[in-house]
Amino acid sequence: MEWDSDSESDLSGGEEEGEEGEIEGLGFLLRNRGGGQLPFPVDKLQPAPYGFVVADAFEPDHPLIYVNSVFEMATGYRAEEVLGRNCRFLQCRGPFAKRRHPLVDSAIVANIRKCLMEGIEFHGELLNFRKDGSPLMSKLHLMPIFDDDEIVTHIIGIQVFMDANLDLGPVPGSSAKESERISDRSRFNFSPDGDDMGGTRNMSRGVNYGIMQLSDEVLALKVLSRLTPRDIASVGSVCQWLYELTKNEDLWKLVCQNAWGAETTRVLESVPGAKRLRWSRLARELTTLEAAAWRKVTVGGAVEPSRCNFSACAAGNRVVLFGGEGVNMQPMNDTFMLDLNSTNPEWQHVKVSSPPPGRWGHSLSCVNGSHLVLFGGCGRQGLMNDVFVLDLDAKPPAWHEILSLAPPLPRSWHSSCTLDGTKLIVSGGCADSGVLLSDTFLLDLSMDKPVWREIPVSWSPPSRLGHTLSVYDGRKILMFGGLAKSGPMRLRSSDVFTMDLSEEDAGWRCITGSSMPGAGNPGGTAPPPRLDHVAVSLPGGRILIFGGSVAGLHSASQVYILDPTEDKPTWRILNIPGKPPRFAWGHSTCIVGGTRAIVLGSQTGEEWMLSEIHELSLASSVS
């Protein structure tokens, strides 16, 4: 079971088939172009043990971006060993060989190269080698995938592996005994016509695997539930028994909960239509982003008086807007709410007692599901460092000031995020006289008398404002962009820094950048330097970046994605259908239900037209 299929309805090609000839069962990779038959048997793709690989046609040398578990078992190479490489390494005998083996047919290799250059399919057999150097034949089918502009975006490879009856002796540099031992451990019978298919647990003839002796319940709860969503999809492609086992929705919920955390899973459960969407499909769509799309929505009500530089945040499916800069730089202190669960959403002015002083350049973050925490900003009396919490479930909603000890310096245009549903983290910003800050503070709101604590670090990123903080992988935070100090100058930045707060001696580490200590040089195309942008944390740890004030003539609507959990984090560009907003600013964008980014209004001069919102939906909408 690959990401191209997750249910019986997906395989039917009936009700799920789209109007433009796309078969949903093959998801974001395969398209039934022109409504004709796909060039290989879809109904046999899941149960038969095919190797399945995907290469990126946009990148030089067509690097692999996905391999399934059958490929790993057949070749002996783990996914992390081959992703980012061209698949030609299988033509070399062993992982240390530098040249193609002389028995590999060079005419077939030339034909493959010709088909890739011309964007046409290839069918043929090619001699390959496992990691241990033993030979195997690959019945190979390469198929180019085109976008709407008829440009090849990906190459899909489907492989049927068979043993090759060649006695080549031991691999140079290893003993015959060692080569035989590794070969015996990794060799499988991958004939799709073998009698080991059709629901049996035997994955190869004559071999009795210990894992196959476990009951379905134990295997699901103790083993499969601890894998990632992508790994579960690969497991389902091994045999019919595992395919049926990995269709269970209770298993998929456990997988998502273990991979993404209980809090993220709880938020996703609140997404309208989540139950009908199913956890398996939700996991697939949030992993592949195949369903991501922009759409424009008109809402009722009004936010008056008009303003700019306000802050917005979502609690569940409710969007809250507070403060902003009014006419003649007047600081605003009113609160508005937009309920997206409503049939006809409209802005409502929320009457609250004891509102915070008016301000702009402040931060607004969600804690504990239904509470918003406000920090800092610039008001009538200058910069502030106070903390207020809004309880949306109170009758009526009410702001309460948090009297905290040892607060950080007053500031505006800082960045903030929340951790564990109780902790507020504040970083950087602009202090008095325009001084940029580089500190990081933490406030535990669950304490009776909260005390600010500066996180001690041996090295800090250059001081900055207009950057973003994002939480990923539990207790890790990621800083991106902003207007950073660079010697006597202030320049837009595209550097990425991370900190693991679960470590006893937590510290900042630069993972991408041009001139920072320990900086890497990732592949792909990095976002142009920017500030006041939008950062979206996805389940699984990836971060989306778009919008903001961008250097040069680059488009602010282009969406970039980074996975900081990778050994070598790489920026990638996402081409998302629909019409994106012309402008998107971090303070006026919020994340709803973990699957939607809501960009408030379209900017006209210094005002926002808040009757229009743009929605970046990351999962299918099911009503």
Side-chain angles (χ1 to χ4, degrees), residues 461-579:
S463 53
R464 65 192 60 215
L465 59 79
H467 53 295
T468 52
L469 286 183
S470 305
V471 177
Y472 73 98
D473 201 17
R475 296 178 56 82
K476 297 177 183 178
I477 57 176
L478 180 144
M479 176 192 297
F480 172 78
L483 185 68
K485 185 177 180 181
S486 179
M489 304 179 66
R490 296 180 177 184
L491 302 174
R492 293 178 178 88
S493 168
S494 61
D495 295 330
V496 178
F497 308 90
T498 62
M499 179 188 293
D500 187 351
L501 293 174
S502 63
E503 296 177 348
E504 184 174 348
D505 297 321
W508 286 109
R509 182 172 68 96
C510 183
I511 62 171
T512 68
S514 55
S515 60
M516 302 299 161
N521 293 301
T525 303
R530 64 190 65 206
L531 73 152
D532 295 339
H533 51 276
V534 181
V536 181
S537 297
L538 297 179
R542 294 173 299 167
I543 309 293
L544 294 183
I545 299 290
F546 64 93
S549 173
V550 182
L553 301 177
H554 300 280
S555 170
S557 61
Q558 181 64 66
V559 180
Y560 296 81
I561 186 170
L562 178 73
D563 187 350
T565 65
E566 295 177 339
D567 292 336
K568 295 182 178 180
T570 300
W571 284 108
R572 296 178 176 87
I573 295 177
L574 288 182
N575 296 312
I576 298 177
K579 187 174 182 180

Side-chain angles (χ1 to χ4, degrees), residues 548-613:
S549 173
V550 182
L553 301 177
H554 300 280
S555 170
S557 61
Q558 181 64 66
V559 180
Y560 296 81
I561 186 170
L562 178 73
D563 187 350
T565 65
E566 295 177 339
D567 292 336
K568 295 182 178 180
T570 300
W571 284 108
R572 296 178 176 87
I573 295 177
L574 288 182
N575 296 312
I576 298 177
K579 187 174 182 180
R582 184 180 177 188
F583 301 100
W585 307 100
H587 63 273
S588 64
T589 301
C590 50
I591 311 306
V592 177
T595 63
R596 292 184 290 171
I598 303 297
V599 180
L600 299 182
S602 55
Q603 185 182 3
T604 304
E606 295 184 349
E607 295 185 5
W608 266 259
M609 307 297 293
L610 293 174
S611 60
E612 293 180 352
I613 64 176

